[in-house]
Amino acid sequence: MGASSDPNQDGSDEQQKRSEIYTYEAPWHIYAMNWSVRRDKKYRLAIASLLEQYPNRVEIVQLDDSNGEIRSDPNLSFEHPYPPTKAIFIPDKDCHRPDLLATSSDFLRVWRIADTDAESSPRAVELKSLLNGNKNSEYCGPLTSFDWNEAEPRRIGTSSIDTTCTIWDIEKETVDTQLIAHDKEVYDIAWGGVGVFASVSADGSVRVFDLRDKEHSTIIYESSEPDTPLVRLGWNKQDPRYMATIIMDSAKVVVLDIRFPTLPVVELQRHQASVNAIAWAPHSSCHICTAGDDSQALIWDLSSMGQPVEGGLDPILAYTAGAEIEQLQWSSSQPDWVAIAFSTKLQILRV
C-alpha cells in the first residue's frame, strides 16, 4: 500500500511524484464513509460524524488531484439526525440518474446532491425522501445498515435491530417487502443479485433470502459458539459464490462458499484485535481487504482458497494507520484506491 513518496527524491517519473496516501482531518470522529461511483466525480467521498447527540453532520469531500488536498465543500455539508450507521452513493457509474446519497439511522433517508455551479440552482444537498418502514407505531427500530442494489438501483434493503429486513422501492417511496429475517437484531445486509440478499444477526447466523420465495431462507453459516453475533457481511460481487463475515469482538474473518453451507472455506486470522470492516475487491474475485482495532488494513489474496495453507493464510499487503480503523471502502470506479477511516481522519490509499 506504500508510504508517501519522498518529495526530495529526484525522480522525474510521474508515478513517483504522486503520493500514495492522502489524508483529510474532519472536525469530528468519522464513522460512516463511502466512495461515489459516478465517472464525473472522481475521488469523491461522503463521511459522517459519530457524535453522542441528536444533530450529527455529513460532509462530501473530494481529492483535488492537482495539489493533493482532500477538501470538504461547505455547500455540500449538512446536518443529520443521529449518527448515520451507513452512507452509500447511488450505484450509477454512467451518470444516468440523479446524484443521490442514502443514509441510515433512525430512518432511511435519500438526499439529492446538486453539485453543479449552475446559476439557477446553487450547490446544495436536499432531503429527497424520508422512508419509515414502521407506519403503525411512533417507535422505530434503528437501522443498523443497508445496501443499494447495483443491478436494480431503485431497490434498497435495510436491516434493523427489530429483527426485520425491509426492501424499499425508492422511486415509488414504498416498501416492496418487509420480513422477519432473524431471531435477534439484524446487523448487516448485502445484495447478491437482483432479487437475492443476505443478512447477519446477533443470532449468529448468515441467511440468504430470495424475493421470489419470501417464506423461506437458507442458513449459510452459524457461529460455532452460541450467542456470538455476526456484525458485518460482504458479498463478493465478482464471484457471488463467496461472502465474508465478521464475528463481534473477534480478530478473525470467516469466508464462506454458499455452495457448501456451514463450513468456512477459509478463516483469516492475522489481525491482532477485533476486525471492524471488510471489503471485497471490486475488480478481482479473489482479493479482500480487512481492517480493525489493531490499526491495520490488510489485503489478502484468496486464490488458493480451499487448499489448506500451512499455518494459515498471510496477507499480501499491510498498512498501519494512526488509530483503530472503524471503516473501510474499496472504490468500485477507481479500484486502485481504498479508503479507511480512523478517529477524525479519512485516508485514501493507493493499492
Side-chain angles (χ1 to χ4, degrees):
M1 252 180 230
S4 301
S5 52
D6 183 357
N8 302 324
Q9 271 185 329
D10 200 24
S12 58
D13 184 11
E14 184 65 27
Q15 197 67 27
Q16 216 168 349
K17 277 192 281 187
R18 278 219 202 122
S19 173
E20 300 292 307
I21 301 170
Y22 298 99
T23 305
Y24 174 76
E25 178 123 19
W28 21 254
H29 191 104
I30 301 170
Y31 183 65
M33 176 262 283
N34 190 249
W35 286 97
S36 170
V37 299
R38 288 173 68 97
R39 292 189 200 286
D40 63 349
K41 299 288 178 205
K42 281 192 163 178
Y43 302 111
R44 182 178 73 158
L45 300 103
I47 54 172
S49 64
L50 178 58
L51 299 169
E52 290 189 24
Q53 59 188 45
Y54 180 73
N56 273 258
R57 298 290 302 174
V58 177
E59 283 186 356
I60 292 177
V61 301
Q62 195 158 8
L63 172 69
D64 181 338
D65 217 6
S66 64
N67 64 10
E69 268 183 53
I70 300 177
R71 279 201 292 265
S72 169
D73 184 335
N75 295 313
L76 302 181
S77 169
F78 56 97
E79 195 168 283
H80 192 285
Y82 301 108
T85 50
K86 196 164 187 184
I88 306 182
F89 284 96
I90 185 168
D92 174 35
K93 273 187 185 163
D94 298 320
C95 316
H96 295 318
R97 296 165 182 267
D99 194 4
L100 303 178
L101 174 73
T103 57
S104 54
S105 57
D106 50 347
F107 304 115
L108 178 66
R109 289 176 176 83
V110 181
W111 310 82
R112 185 192 295 272
I113 304 163
D115 192 0
T116 53
D117 286 315
E119 282 177 28
S120 54
S121 59
R123 295 210 313 286
V125 178
E126 61 188 38
L127 183 62
K128 177 182 174 288
S129 319
L130 188 152
L131 303 170
N132 174 10
N134 270 30
K135 286 286 184 276
N136 309 335
S137 82
E138 295 282 301
Y139 169 77
C140 61
L143 302 177
T144 50
S145 185
F146 72 97
D147 197 20
W148 206 319
N149 193 318
E150 288 179 20
E152 200 168 20
R154 63 185 178 85
R155 272 190 178 158
I156 288 180
T158 63
S159 57
S160 169
I161 66 165
D162 69 7
T163 76
T164 65
C165 288
T166 305
I167 310 303
W168 286 94
D169 181 325
I170 61 161
E171 287 170 12
K172 295 182 185 157
E173 301 189 357
T174 56
V175 172
D176 259 1
T177 302
Q178 187 169 52
L179 39 88
I180 294 172
H182 289 266
D183 306 328
K184 291 183 178 174
E185 299 95 323
V186 190
Y187 285 135
D188 204 5
I189 181 170
W191 289 102
V194 174
V196 179
F197 69 90
S199 57
V200 292
S201 160
D203 66 16
S205 67
V206 180
R207 299 187 187 192
V208 175
F209 297 85
D210 188 325
L211 293 175
R212 292 165 302 187
D213 180 14
K214 298 174 190 137
E215 299 304 306
H216 301 99
S217 65
T218 306
I219 295 179
I220 296 298
Y221 175 75
E222 287 184 286
S223 41
S224 45
E225 301 87 44
D227 294 326
T228 315
L230 301 177
V231 288
R232 287 284 167 263
L233 179 68
W235 202 325
N236 186 338
K237 296 277 196 304
Q238 296 299 313
D239 187 345
R241 293 174 300 181
Y242 296 106
M243 50 175 78
T245 185
I246 302 172
I247 299 159
M248 187 181 275
D249 300 327
S250 164
K252 75 177 179 186
V253 175
V254 178
V255 180
L256 307 166
D257 181 334
I258 63 172
R259 296 166 303 173
F260 307 105
T262 72
L263 209 61
V265 64
V266 66
E267 292 185 341
L268 309 178
Q269 311 201 54
R270 291 296 181 264
H271 280 283
Q272 307 300 312
S274 302
V275 181
N276 297 323
I278 43 180
W280 287 96
H283 60 312
S284 153
S285 61
C286 61
H287 290 88
I288 190 170
C289 187
T290 61
D293 279 351
D294 56 1
S295 308
Q296 295 243 77
L298 306 177
I299 290 185
W300 310 75
D301 177 354
L302 303 182
S303 49
S304 64
M305 218 161 21
Q307 299 148 20
V309 179
E310 189 78 28
L313 205 59
D314 284 320
I316 55 167
L317 278 171
Y319 174 75
T320 305
E324 293 93 340
I325 302 172
E326 292 182 66
Q327 194 60 259
L328 157 73
Q329 297 282 329
W330 201 323
S331 171
S332 61
S333 54
Q334 295 164 275
D336 294 350
W337 293 92
V338 167
I340 57 172
F342 55 94
S343 182
T344 57
K345 290 190 173 69
L346 163 73
Q347 281 191 334
I348 64 173
L349 317 168
R350 185 198 294 277
V351 297

